[in-house]
Amino acid sequence: MSYMTEERRMIQESAREFAMNEVLPIANQLDPVQGDIPMELRDKLADMGYFGIIIPEEYGGLGLGVFEYCLITEELARAWMSVASIVARGNGLIGSRAMSEAQKRRYLTRMAKGEFLGAFSMSEPNAGSDVANITCRARRDGDSWVINGNKYWCTFADGADYIMLVARTSEPSDPKRRHTGLSCFLIEKPRGQLPTGCHGNPIPKIGYFGWKTWELAFDNCRVGADSLVGEEGRAFYTVAQGLEKARAHTAARAIGLARGGLEDATAYAQERVQFGQPIGEFQAIRFKLAQMATEIEAARQLMYHVCDQIDQKKRCDKEASMAKLFASEMAERVTSEALQIHGGAGYTKLHAVERYWRDARLTKIFEGTSEIQLRIISDHLLGKPAA
């Protein structure tokens, strides 16, 4: 089955040209010094419509599907994964499905233009994969909510125009349903600042540069009653609704990184001469490249299938987990092999391959670790364990 149409090929080619001409040179310049994605590049992304790829046309978006979203994502990630990630800070972000019509009119039109980009704050020091362990509290106080507690791994908390935060608003009545009682809040704030009643510090990461990732402390942060997104106490389900799309997006990012590694390694193998000939003439190198290319294409076709299922509104949580798992594990292997082909040169910041390698490692952790994906897949195969 061929998923590619002429329209999709044109979208892909346009994104590839943009990524290689506009994104890659900036990535090569700023990533080694941990510089932030410049506003000029964000404005160009907005001009391309990339912050509104899957936002419906009635709200000012392109009205395209998750398939096109992931096509563009792969191309951007091949240049700089952080740029492939920032486009997700438009495109409705997680939780937009649960917005009221008034909220969609208020927010989505600005998101599509790149004027209202978000950060997502769910993880905590003791709540990562175990979302139900969230302890950050939101207490109703008249016509406001007052938020207290700590958050971790909130990327873009400073540069965003709002933070989508998950907090506990009530205790679960059933200990076996600890995920209930969580609510989602959209906290507007000035771009370049943290919200009033919130302070934090950047986390010293080993990669994913281009923007900062924060630990946050909310201390009587007061937001309006209209900041609640979706039904009170049902944030777990609000977030879960967006996971298939998010995991397909992560698979696309992983594939883009792996492709960057393959393309750079292929070019290097043709240029680097040892023992009187380019190293690409040696079978050991040729077979490495062949294996890398095969794994990338296998991940891509699985991702295409998942995107097609999402766009047809078919349930595919198992397949989305498979795509995310396979692509992220593949990306770490392929970028590591790409670095190996570069030899000592690969272990320097003089070549982009080390960036692909560092960022690929992260894809096995965020949007659900590889272990969580295995849990989801095995639950589909065997049913959930008794304990």
mmCIF file of all heavy atoms in Angstrom, residues 75-122:
data_model
loop_
_atom_site.group_PDB
_atom_site.id
_atom_site.type_symbol
_atom_site.label_atom_id
_atom_site.label_comp_id
_atom_site.label_asym_id
_atom_site.label_seq_id
_atom_site.Cartn_x
_atom_site.Cartn_y
_atom_site.Cartn_z
ATOM 1 N N GLU A 75 11.170 15.795 8.485
ATOM 2 C CA GLU A 75 12.105 16.669 7.787
ATOM 3 C C GLU A 75 12.750 17.674 8.739
ATOM 4 O O GLU A 75 13.957 17.918 8.675
ATOM 5 C CB GLU A 75 11.381 17.401 6.649
ATOM 6 C CG GLU A 75 10.803 16.494 5.578
ATOM 7 C CD GLU A 75 11.832 15.569 4.956
ATOM 8 O OE1 GLU A 75 13.003 15.985 4.820
ATOM 9 O OE2 GLU A 75 11.475 14.430 4.598
ATOM 10 N N LEU A 76 11.960 18.254 9.628
ATOM 11 C CA LEU A 76 12.505 19.226 10.579
ATOM 12 C C LEU A 76 13.472 18.562 11.549
ATOM 13 O O LEU A 76 14.521 19.129 11.884
ATOM 14 C CB LEU A 76 11.365 19.905 11.342
ATOM 15 C CG LEU A 76 10.407 20.781 10.518
ATOM 16 C CD1 LEU A 76 9.288 21.314 11.407
ATOM 17 C CD2 LEU A 76 11.144 21.934 9.840
ATOM 18 N N ALA A 77 13.138 17.348 12.001
ATOM 19 C CA ALA A 77 14.008 16.638 12.949
ATOM 20 C C ALA A 77 15.325 16.234 12.303
ATOM 21 O O ALA A 77 16.345 16.155 12.990
ATOM 22 C CB ALA A 77 13.294 15.412 13.505
ATOM 23 N N ARG A 78 15.301 15.988 11.021
ATOM 24 C CA ARG A 78 16.555 15.651 10.332
ATOM 25 C C ARG A 78 17.560 16.800 10.467
ATOM 26 O O ARG A 78 18.775 16.604 10.480
ATOM 27 C CB ARG A 78 16.270 15.362 8.853
ATOM 28 C CG ARG A 78 17.469 14.798 8.080
ATOM 29 C CD ARG A 78 18.197 15.928 7.368
ATOM 30 N NE ARG A 78 19.421 15.459 6.713
ATOM 31 C CZ ARG A 78 20.635 15.578 7.237
ATOM 32 N NH1 ARG A 78 20.814 16.091 8.436
ATOM 33 N NH2 ARG A 78 21.700 15.173 6.561
ATOM 34 N N ALA A 79 17.021 18.029 10.604
ATOM 35 C CA ALA A 79 17.877 19.197 10.772
ATOM 36 C C ALA A 79 18.136 19.494 12.245
ATOM 37 O O ALA A 79 19.284 19.666 12.656
ATOM 38 C CB ALA A 79 17.245 20.414 10.088
ATOM 39 N N TRP A 80 17.057 19.565 13.054
ATOM 40 C CA TRP A 80 17.205 19.879 14.481
ATOM 41 C C TRP A 80 15.938 19.414 15.184
ATOM 42 O O TRP A 80 14.862 19.950 14.939
ATOM 43 C CB TRP A 80 17.409 21.377 14.673
ATOM 44 C CG TRP A 80 18.020 21.759 15.990
ATOM 45 C CD1 TRP A 80 18.494 20.929 16.955
ATOM 46 C CD2 TRP A 80 18.247 23.097 16.473
ATOM 47 N NE1 TRP A 80 18.995 21.655 18.009
ATOM 48 C CE2 TRP A 80 18.866 22.981 17.729
ATOM 49 C CE3 TRP A 80 17.981 24.367 15.961
ATOM 50 C CZ2 TRP A 80 19.212 24.109 18.488
ATOM 51 C CZ3 TRP A 80 18.339 25.469 16.705
ATOM 52 C CH2 TRP A 80 18.954 25.345 17.957
ATOM 53 N N MET A 81 16.072 18.426 16.064
ATOM 54 C CA MET A 81 14.882 17.869 16.701
ATOM 55 C C MET A 81 14.123 18.909 17.514
ATOM 56 O O MET A 81 12.901 18.853 17.629
ATOM 57 C CB MET A 81 15.223 16.677 17.591
ATOM 58 C CG MET A 81 13.961 16.001 18.139
ATOM 59 S SD MET A 81 14.233 14.484 19.066
ATOM 60 C CE MET A 81 14.841 15.125 20.621
ATOM 61 N N SER A 82 14.825 19.861 18.092
ATOM 62 C CA SER A 82 14.146 20.869 18.894
ATOM 63 C C SER A 82 13.155 21.675 18.062
ATOM 64 O O SER A 82 12.087 22.058 18.543
ATOM 65 C CB SER A 82 15.167 21.792 19.552
ATOM 66 O OG SER A 82 16.012 21.058 20.413
ATOM 67 N N VAL A 83 13.481 21.931 16.799
ATOM 68 C CA VAL A 83 12.573 22.652 15.915
ATOM 69 C C VAL A 83 11.396 21.764 15.532
ATOM 70 O O VAL A 83 10.257 22.230 15.430
ATOM 71 C CB VAL A 83 13.324 23.169 14.671
ATOM 72 C CG1 VAL A 83 12.354 23.703 13.622
ATOM 73 C CG2 VAL A 83 14.304 24.256 15.074
ATOM 74 N N ALA A 84 11.657 20.477 15.336
ATOM 75 C CA ALA A 84 10.561 19.543 15.076
ATOM 76 C C ALA A 84 9.636 19.430 16.280
ATOM 77 O O ALA A 84 8.470 19.072 16.146
ATOM 78 C CB ALA A 84 11.122 18.165 14.728
ATOM 79 N N SER A 85 10.161 19.747 17.456
ATOM 80 C CA SER A 85 9.368 19.678 18.684
ATOM 81 C C SER A 85 8.610 20.966 18.945
ATOM 82 O O SER A 85 7.492 20.935 19.466
ATOM 83 C CB SER A 85 10.277 19.378 19.877
ATOM 84 O OG SER A 85 10.943 18.147 19.712
ATOM 85 N N ILE A 86 9.190 22.097 18.591
ATOM 86 C CA ILE A 86 8.525 23.363 18.903
ATOM 87 C C ILE A 86 7.236 23.526 18.100
ATOM 88 O O ILE A 86 6.304 24.202 18.550
ATOM 89 C CB ILE A 86 9.473 24.574 18.701
ATOM 90 C CG1 ILE A 86 8.961 25.770 19.524
ATOM 91 C CG2 ILE A 86 9.631 24.935 17.241
ATOM 92 C CD1 ILE A 86 9.910 26.954 19.543
ATOM 93 N N VAL A 87 7.149 22.896 16.935
ATOM 94 C CA VAL A 87 5.906 23.016 16.169
ATOM 95 C C VAL A 87 4.741 22.349 16.893
ATOM 96 O O VAL A 87 3.588 22.702 16.691
ATOM 97 C CB VAL A 87 6.045 22.454 14.735
ATOM 98 C CG1 VAL A 87 7.090 23.236 13.941
ATOM 99 C CG2 VAL A 87 6.334 20.973 14.727
ATOM 100 N N ALA A 88 5.068 21.383 17.762
ATOM 101 C CA ALA A 88 4.012 20.734 18.549
ATOM 102 C C ALA A 88 3.474 21.663 19.632
ATOM 103 O O ALA A 88 2.426 21.382 20.222
ATOM 104 C CB ALA A 88 4.539 19.451 19.191
ATOM 105 N N ARG A 89 4.185 22.766 19.906
ATOM 106 C CA ARG A 89 3.728 23.727 20.906
ATOM 107 C C ARG A 89 2.644 24.630 20.348
ATOM 108 O O ARG A 89 2.053 25.433 21.062
ATOM 109 C CB ARG A 89 4.905 24.556 21.428
ATOM 110 C CG ARG A 89 6.071 23.704 21.927
ATOM 111 C CD ARG A 89 5.605 22.589 22.830
ATOM 112 N NE ARG A 89 6.686 21.693 23.208
ATOM 113 C CZ ARG A 89 6.947 21.367 24.469
ATOM 114 N NH1 ARG A 89 6.228 21.856 25.440
ATOM 115 N NH2 ARG A 89 7.923 20.531 24.733
ATOM 116 N N GLY A 90 2.410 24.552 19.037
ATOM 117 C CA GLY A 90 1.203 25.037 18.403
ATOM 118 C C GLY A 90 0.379 23.785 18.144
ATOM 119 O O GLY A 90 0.350 22.866 18.951
ATOM 120 N N ASN A 91 -0.267 23.694 17.033
ATOM 121 C CA ASN A 91 -0.991 22.475 16.638
ATOM 122 C C ASN A 91 -1.896 21.934 17.732
ATOM 123 O O ASN A 91 -2.132 20.728 17.839
ATOM 124 C CB ASN A 91 -0.003 21.405 16.163
ATOM 125 C CG ASN A 91 0.525 21.718 14.764
ATOM 126 O OD1 ASN A 91 -0.233 21.746 13.809
ATOM 127 N ND2 ASN A 91 1.811 22.004 14.668
ATOM 128 N N GLY A 92 -2.402 22.844 18.568
ATOM 129 C CA GLY A 92 -3.386 22.456 19.580
ATOM 130 C C GLY A 92 -2.794 21.958 20.869
ATOM 131 O O GLY A 92 -3.466 21.986 21.892
ATOM 132 N N LEU A 93 -1.554 21.498 20.872
ATOM 133 C CA LEU A 93 -0.916 20.899 22.034
ATOM 134 C C LEU A 93 -1.832 19.811 22.616
ATOM 135 O O LEU A 93 -2.959 19.624 22.180
ATOM 136 C CB LEU A 93 -0.575 21.957 23.094
ATOM 137 C CG LEU A 93 0.435 21.561 24.188
ATOM 138 C CD1 LEU A 93 1.805 21.252 23.596
ATOM 139 C CD2 LEU A 93 0.611 22.693 25.206
ATOM 140 N N ILE A 94 -1.358 19.061 23.572
ATOM 141 C CA ILE A 94 -2.197 18.056 24.234
ATOM 142 C C ILE A 94 -3.271 18.773 25.039
ATOM 143 O O ILE A 94 -2.995 19.729 25.749
ATOM 144 C CB ILE A 94 -1.340 17.162 25.148
ATOM 145 C CG1 ILE A 94 -0.478 16.223 24.299
ATOM 146 C CG2 ILE A 94 -2.198 16.338 26.095
ATOM 147 C CD1 ILE A 94 0.436 15.321 25.085
ATOM 148 N N GLY A 95 -4.492 18.321 24.923
ATOM 149 C CA GLY A 95 -5.581 18.888 25.717
ATOM 150 C C GLY A 95 -6.553 19.733 24.922
ATOM 151 O O GLY A 95 -7.640 20.042 25.394
ATOM 152 N N SER A 96 -6.185 20.112 23.694
ATOM 153 C CA SER A 96 -7.047 21.018 22.940
ATOM 154 C C SER A 96 -8.383 20.389 22.562
ATOM 155 O O SER A 96 -9.389 21.091 22.406
ATOM 156 C CB SER A 96 -6.330 21.514 21.682
ATOM 157 O OG SER A 96 -6.047 20.447 20.802
ATOM 158 N N ARG A 97 -8.394 19.056 22.432
ATOM 159 C CA ARG A 97 -9.658 18.389 22.093
ATOM 160 C C ARG A 97 -10.719 18.623 23.154
ATOM 161 O O ARG A 97 -11.908 18.622 22.868
ATOM 162 C CB ARG A 97 -9.439 16.878 21.937
ATOM 163 C CG ARG A 97 -8.685 16.456 20.699
ATOM 164 C CD ARG A 97 -8.697 14.938 20.598
ATOM 165 N NE ARG A 97 -7.877 14.443 19.519
ATOM 166 C CZ ARG A 97 -7.749 13.156 19.216
ATOM 167 N NH1 ARG A 97 -8.397 12.253 19.932
ATOM 168 N NH2 ARG A 97 -6.991 12.763 18.222
ATOM 169 N N ALA A 98 -10.268 18.788 24.385
ATOM 170 C CA ALA A 98 -11.210 18.941 25.491
ATOM 171 C C ALA A 98 -11.651 20.389 25.689
ATOM 172 O O ALA A 98 -12.490 20.664 26.541
ATOM 173 C CB ALA A 98 -10.582 18.420 26.782
ATOM 174 N N MET A 99 -11.101 21.312 24.908
ATOM 175 C CA MET A 99 -11.472 22.712 25.066
ATOM 176 C C MET A 99 -12.938 22.939 24.700
ATOM 177 O O MET A 99 -13.495 22.267 23.830
ATOM 178 C CB MET A 99 -10.603 23.595 24.165
ATOM 179 C CG MET A 99 -9.181 23.776 24.624
ATOM 180 S SD MET A 99 -8.281 24.875 23.482
ATOM 181 C CE MET A 99 -6.677 24.898 24.267
ATOM 182 N N SER A 100 -13.533 23.925 25.353
ATOM 183 C CA SER A 100 -14.868 24.358 24.969
ATOM 184 C C SER A 100 -14.763 25.095 23.638
ATOM 185 O O SER A 100 -13.671 25.494 23.211
ATOM 186 C CB SER A 100 -15.448 25.298 26.024
ATOM 187 O OG SER A 100 -14.694 26.499 26.089
ATOM 188 N N GLU A 101 -15.883 25.305 22.983
ATOM 189 C CA GLU A 101 -15.864 26.021 21.710
ATOM 190 C C GLU A 101 -15.320 27.432 21.899
ATOM 191 O O GLU A 101 -14.566 27.943 21.059
ATOM 192 C CB GLU A 101 -17.260 26.061 21.102
ATOM 193 C CG GLU A 101 -17.329 26.705 19.728
ATOM 194 C CD GLU A 101 -16.460 26.004 18.690
ATOM 195 O OE1 GLU A 101 -16.257 24.780 18.788
ATOM 196 O OE2 GLU A 101 -15.972 26.701 17.767
ATOM 197 N N ALA A 102 -15.686 28.057 23.010
ATOM 198 C CA ALA A 102 -15.192 29.412 23.283
ATOM 199 C C ALA A 102 -13.675 29.419 23.438
ATOM 200 O O ALA A 102 -12.988 30.328 22.951
ATOM 201 C CB ALA A 102 -15.854 29.969 24.539
ATOM 202 N N GLN A 103 -13.135 28.394 24.116
ATOM 203 C CA GLN A 103 -11.680 28.298 24.282
ATOM 204 C C GLN A 103 -10.996 28.056 22.944
ATOM 205 O O GLN A 103 -9.928 28.626 22.668
ATOM 206 C CB GLN A 103 -11.332 27.196 25.273
ATOM 207 C CG GLN A 103 -11.656 27.531 26.715
ATOM 208 C CD GLN A 103 -11.440 26.363 27.652
ATOM 209 O OE1 GLN A 103 -11.702 25.205 27.296
ATOM 210 N NE2 GLN A 103 -10.980 26.644 28.860
ATOM 211 N N LYS A 104 -11.590 27.218 22.098
ATOM 212 C CA LYS A 104 -10.996 26.963 20.789
ATOM 213 C C LYS A 104 -10.939 28.237 19.959
ATOM 214 O O LYS A 104 -9.930 28.527 19.303
ATOM 215 C CB LYS A 104 -11.790 25.882 20.051
ATOM 216 C CG LYS A 104 -11.619 24.485 20.631
ATOM 217 C CD LYS A 104 -12.454 23.461 19.874
ATOM 218 C CE LYS A 104 -12.265 22.072 20.468
ATOM 219 N NZ LYS A 104 -13.096 21.053 19.774
ATOM 220 N N ARG A 105 -12.025 29.010 19.987
ATOM 221 C CA ARG A 105 -12.050 30.272 19.243
ATOM 222 C C ARG A 105 -11.019 31.245 19.790
ATOM 223 O O ARG A 105 -10.396 32.002 19.048
ATOM 224 C CB ARG A 105 -13.442 30.900 19.324
ATOM 225 C CG ARG A 105 -14.539 30.100 18.651
ATOM 226 C CD ARG A 105 -14.455 30.193 17.147
ATOM 227 N NE ARG A 105 -15.429 29.330 16.493
ATOM 228 C CZ ARG A 105 -15.450 29.090 15.197
ATOM 229 N NH1 ARG A 105 -14.533 29.653 14.404
ATOM 230 N NH2 ARG A 105 -16.355 28.299 14.657
ATOM 231 N N ARG A 106 -10.845 31.208 21.079
ATOM 232 C CA ARG A 106 -9.931 32.143 21.738
ATOM 233 C C ARG A 106 -8.472 31.779 21.520
ATOM 234 O O ARG A 106 -7.627 32.662 21.331
ATOM 235 C CB ARG A 106 -10.239 32.175 23.228
ATOM 236 C CG ARG A 106 -9.353 33.104 24.053
ATOM 237 C CD ARG A 106 -9.780 33.068 25.511
ATOM 238 N NE ARG A 106 -8.901 33.878 26.345
ATOM 239 C CZ ARG A 106 -9.023 33.990 27.676
ATOM 240 N NH1 ARG A 106 -10.004 33.349 28.293
ATOM 241 N NH2 ARG A 106 -8.187 34.739 28.359
ATOM 242 N N TYR A 107 -8.180 30.473 21.539
ATOM 243 C CA TYR A 107 -6.784 30.043 21.551
ATOM 244 C C TYR A 107 -6.273 29.477 20.229
ATOM 245 O O TYR A 107 -5.154 29.772 19.816
ATOM 246 C CB TYR A 107 -6.573 29.000 22.651
ATOM 247 C CG TYR A 107 -6.837 29.505 24.050
ATOM 248 C CD1 TYR A 107 -7.697 28.827 24.907
ATOM 249 C CD2 TYR A 107 -6.211 30.654 24.522
ATOM 250 C CE1 TYR A 107 -7.945 29.277 26.197
ATOM 251 C CE2 TYR A 107 -6.447 31.117 25.812
ATOM 252 C CZ TYR A 107 -7.309 30.422 26.646
ATOM 253 O OH TYR A 107 -7.546 30.878 27.911
ATOM 254 N N LEU A 108 -7.062 28.629 19.565
ATOM 255 C CA LEU A 108 -6.530 27.891 18.419
ATOM 256 C C LEU A 108 -6.140 28.797 17.263
ATOM 257 O O LEU A 108 -5.160 28.522 16.558
ATOM 258 C CB LEU A 108 -7.536 26.837 17.942
ATOM 259 C CG LEU A 108 -7.794 25.662 18.897
ATOM 260 C CD1 LEU A 108 -8.679 24.623 18.210
ATOM 261 C CD2 LEU A 108 -6.498 25.013 19.357
ATOM 262 N N THR A 109 -6.898 29.867 17.046
ATOM 263 C CA THR A 109 -6.558 30.762 15.934
ATOM 264 C C THR A 109 -5.197 31.410 16.155
ATOM 265 O O THR A 109 -4.428 31.602 15.202
ATOM 266 C CB THR A 109 -7.628 31.855 15.785
ATOM 267 O OG1 THR A 109 -7.845 32.499 17.056
ATOM 268 C CG2 THR A 109 -8.950 31.258 15.324
ATOM 269 N N ARG A 110 -4.879 31.708 17.408
ATOM 270 C CA ARG A 110 -3.576 32.305 17.723
ATOM 271 C C ARG A 110 -2.468 31.243 17.680
ATOM 272 O O ARG A 110 -1.342 31.531 17.273
ATOM 273 C CB ARG A 110 -3.625 32.977 19.084
ATOM 274 C CG ARG A 110 -4.556 34.179 19.122
ATOM 275 C CD ARG A 110 -4.953 34.536 20.538
ATOM 276 N NE ARG A 110 -3.803 34.900 21.361
ATOM 277 C CZ ARG A 110 -3.824 34.910 22.690
ATOM 278 N NH1 ARG A 110 -4.925 34.566 23.346
ATOM 279 N NH2 ARG A 110 -2.747 35.257 23.361
ATOM 280 N N MET A 111 -2.792 30.013 18.095
ATOM 281 C CA MET A 111 -1.809 28.928 18.012
ATOM 282 C C MET A 111 -1.391 28.690 16.565
ATOM 283 O O MET A 111 -0.206 28.518 16.266
ATOM 284 C CB MET A 111 -2.394 27.638 18.574
ATOM 285 C CG MET A 111 -2.564 27.597 20.074
ATOM 286 S SD MET A 111 -3.191 25.962 20.569
ATOM 287 C CE MET A 111 -3.670 26.300 22.274
ATOM 288 N N ALA A 112 -2.368 28.666 15.664
ATOM 289 C CA ALA A 112 -2.098 28.369 14.261
ATOM 290 C C ALA A 112 -1.153 29.384 13.639
ATOM 291 O O ALA A 112 -0.386 29.071 12.728
ATOM 292 C CB ALA A 112 -3.409 28.323 13.473
ATOM 293 N N LYS A 113 -1.177 30.620 14.140
ATOM 294 C CA LYS A 113 -0.304 31.674 13.622
ATOM 295 C C LYS A 113 1.053 31.711 14.319
ATOM 296 O O LYS A 113 1.896 32.541 13.986
ATOM 297 C CB LYS A 113 -0.992 33.035 13.798
ATOM 298 C CG LYS A 113 -2.278 33.192 13.007
ATOM 299 C CD LYS A 113 -2.930 34.527 13.334
ATOM 300 C CE LYS A 113 -4.262 34.686 12.617
ATOM 301 N NZ LYS A 113 -4.925 35.965 12.995
ATOM 302 N N GLY A 114 1.237 30.845 15.323
ATOM 303 C CA GLY A 114 2.482 30.864 16.070
ATOM 304 C C GLY A 114 2.542 31.978 17.094
ATOM 305 O O GLY A 114 3.602 32.282 17.642
ATOM 306 N N GLU A 115 1.391 32.586 17.370
ATOM 307 C CA GLU A 115 1.327 33.709 18.307
ATOM 308 C C GLU A 115 1.030 33.260 19.735
ATOM 309 O O GLU A 115 1.103 34.076 20.658
ATOM 310 C CB GLU A 115 0.232 34.693 17.866
ATOM 311 C CG GLU A 115 0.478 35.334 16.508
ATOM 312 C CD GLU A 115 -0.700 36.148 16.017
ATOM 313 O OE1 GLU A 115 -1.759 36.122 16.705
ATOM 314 O OE2 GLU A 115 -0.584 36.793 14.962
ATOM 315 N N PHE A 116 0.679 31.988 19.899
ATOM 316 C CA PHE A 116 0.263 31.499 21.218
ATOM 317 C C PHE A 116 0.751 30.061 21.358
ATOM 318 O O PHE A 116 0.047 29.102 21.053
ATOM 319 C CB PHE A 116 -1.271 31.581 21.339
ATOM 320 C CG PHE A 116 -1.786 31.424 22.742
ATOM 321 C CD1 PHE A 116 -1.512 32.363 23.717
ATOM 322 C CD2 PHE A 116 -2.574 30.327 23.084
ATOM 323 C CE1 PHE A 116 -2.009 32.224 25.007
ATOM 324 C CE2 PHE A 116 -3.071 30.182 24.370
ATOM 325 C CZ PHE A 116 -2.789 31.133 25.337
ATOM 326 N N LEU A 117 1.999 29.926 21.793
ATOM 327 C CA LEU A 117 2.635 28.614 21.881
ATOM 328 C C LEU A 117 2.704 28.173 23.339
ATOM 329 O O LEU A 117 2.851 28.998 24.245
ATOM 330 C CB LEU A 117 4.043 28.661 21.291
ATOM 331 C CG LEU A 117 4.147 29.164 19.847
ATOM 332 C CD1 LEU A 117 5.589 29.126 19.380
ATOM 333 C CD2 LEU A 117 3.252 28.359 18.919
ATOM 334 N N GLY A 118 2.615 26.867 23.565
ATOM 335 C CA GLY A 118 2.496 26.370 24.923
ATOM 336 C C GLY A 118 3.620 25.468 25.389
ATOM 337 O O GLY A 118 4.401 24.935 24.599
ATOM 338 N N ALA A 119 3.691 25.315 26.698
ATOM 339 C CA ALA A 119 4.541 24.324 27.360
ATOM 340 C C ALA A 119 3.610 23.378 28.095
ATOM 341 O O ALA A 119 2.543 23.787 28.563
ATOM 342 C CB ALA A 119 5.502 25.004 28.330
ATOM 343 N N PHE A 120 4.011 22.130 28.207
ATOM 344 C CA PHE A 120 3.175 21.124 28.856
ATOM 345 C C PHE A 120 3.836 20.697 30.152
ATOM 346 O O PHE A 120 5.012 20.305 30.159
ATOM 347 C CB PHE A 120 2.976 19.924 27.935
ATOM 348 C CG PHE A 120 2.000 18.904 28.468
ATOM 349 C CD1 PHE A 120 0.678 19.231 28.681
ATOM 350 C CD2 PHE A 120 2.420 17.613 28.752
ATOM 351 C CE1 PHE A 120 -0.227 18.293 29.169
ATOM 352 C CE2 PHE A 120 1.533 16.672 29.240
ATOM 353 C CZ PHE A 120 0.202 17.010 29.449
ATOM 354 N N SER A 121 3.105 20.783 31.249
ATOM 355 C CA SER A 121 3.675 20.500 32.566
ATOM 356 C C SER A 121 2.841 19.437 33.274
ATOM 357 O O SER A 121 1.806 19.728 33.874
ATOM 358 C CB SER A 121 3.712 21.786 33.408
ATOM 359 O OG SER A 121 4.348 21.565 34.639
ATOM 360 N N MET A 122 3.321 18.202 33.195
ATOM 361 C CA MET A 122 2.645 17.096 33.860
ATOM 362 C C MET A 122 3.593 16.376 34.813
ATOM 363 O O MET A 122 3.234 16.071 35.948
ATOM 364 C CB MET A 122 2.076 16.104 32.845
ATOM 365 C CG MET A 122 1.301 14.951 33.479
ATOM 366 S SD MET A 122 0.320 14.004 32.291
ATOM 367 C CE MET A 122 1.614 13.226 31.329
#
